[in-house]
Amino acid sequence: KAGVTQTPRYLIKTRGQQVTLSCSPISGHRSVSWYQQTPGQGLQFLFEYFSETQRNKGNFPGRFSGRQFSNSRSEMNVSTLELGDSALYLCASSLAVSLLETQYFGPGTRLLVL
Amino acid sequence: AQSVSQHNHHVILSEAASLELGCNYSYGGTVNLFWYVQYPGQHLQLLLKYFSGDPLVKGIKGFEAEFIKSKFSFNLRKPSVQWSDTAEYFCAVRYSGGGADGLTFGKGTHLIIQP
């Protein structure tokens, strides 16, 4: 089975711009979660989608949003980029939203905001 | 707030040494516990997980972890490390808060194995 794929792998943007990141889950997985990884804060949960609905949300400002499509693919959008948004954004997929599910991670999209 | 604490940020060991990485979490309710590893240039991979049952769980590459509920701990162990174990190790917890929240990660432990 192919793993979680994320595109693009690298992005450079400037402050004030917006960015959209894409994630394709493992075939058959219906839940997609997004995480931000930075040297200072580590890995932090952004949000989780299942059946095109946001099920859980972390403690991030409203500039961070996402959506999920009927084929379970997900996109994450960050508007009005700030320097502090520079990070590795990781997508993880699982079969469903449940304590019993294991999340499998993609390679990430590295975003640099100048 | 729920949190995960990894006690050692950097660990340097020689090959064949034994390894124990500490992990403590703050929540007393139902949790599921994970250890993930990130090898240089690679993405996060699952090492092992605990959901229920035997508190001693075995994972890939000879790793194991023990869940001690009374100590809110889930320490990772390996009896004899190899140079290829050089990586960043993350402890993660998924809490039950009415449903299932996202994973809460520790800050990670950077493990360097010297040949």
Side-chain angles (χ1 to χ4, degrees), chain A residues 68-80:
Chain A
Q68 187 180 34
F69 302 96
S70 57
N71 61 358
S72 296
R73 191 177 68 85
S74 177
E75 287 182 347
M76 190 193 104
N77 185 274
V78 188
S79 62
T80 319

Side-chain angles (χ1 to χ4, degrees), chain A residues 34-109:
Chain A
W34 290 89
Y35 295 83
Q36 181 195 64
Q37 186 177 21
T38 59
Q41 298 298 317
L43 278 150
Q44 294 183 286
F45 171 68
L46 281 154
F47 29 66
E48 181 170 25
Y49 285 85
F50 178 77
S51 292
E52 303 176 64
T53 302
Q54 188 179 91
R55 301 300 176 121
N56 294 295
K57 191 177 190 304
N59 189 26
F60 277 81
R63 300 185 296 106
F64 292 81
S65 63
R67 59 178 175 167
Q68 187 180 34
F69 302 96
S70 57
N71 61 358
S72 296
R73 191 177 68 85
S74 177
E75 287 182 347
M76 190 193 104
N77 185 274
V78 188
S79 62
T80 319
L81 284 165
E82 300 176 0
L83 294 180
D85 296 334
S86 294
L88 181 67
Y89 290 89
L90 295 172
C91 170
S93 77
S94 60
L95 283 168
V97 178
S98 165
L99 265 190
L100 300 178
E101 292 298 332
T102 298
Q103 295 189 349
Y104 296 90
F105 285 81
T109 293

Side-chain angles (χ1 to χ4, degrees), chain A residues 33 35 37 40-45 48 56 88 90 94 96-108, chain B residues 30-32 34 36 38 41 43-46 49 51 88 90 94-96 99-107:
Chain A
S33 298
Y35 295 83
Q37 186 177 21
Q41 298 298 317
L43 278 150
Q44 294 183 286
F45 171 68
E48 181 170 25
N56 294 295
L88 181 67
L90 295 172
S94 60
V97 178
S98 165
L99 265 190
L100 300 178
E101 292 298 332
T102 298
Q103 295 189 349
Y104 296 90
F105 285 81
Chain B
T30 303
V31 295
N32 284 349
F34 306 83
Y36 283 88
Q38 193 168 30
H43 59 275
L44 275 171
Q45 300 172 39
L46 181 69
K49 60 188 178 185
F51 285 173
E88 188 97 23
F90 295 92
R94 189 156 194 174
Y95 298 91
S96 170
D101 297 328
L103 287 167
T104 299
F105 282 87
K107 289 290 177 77

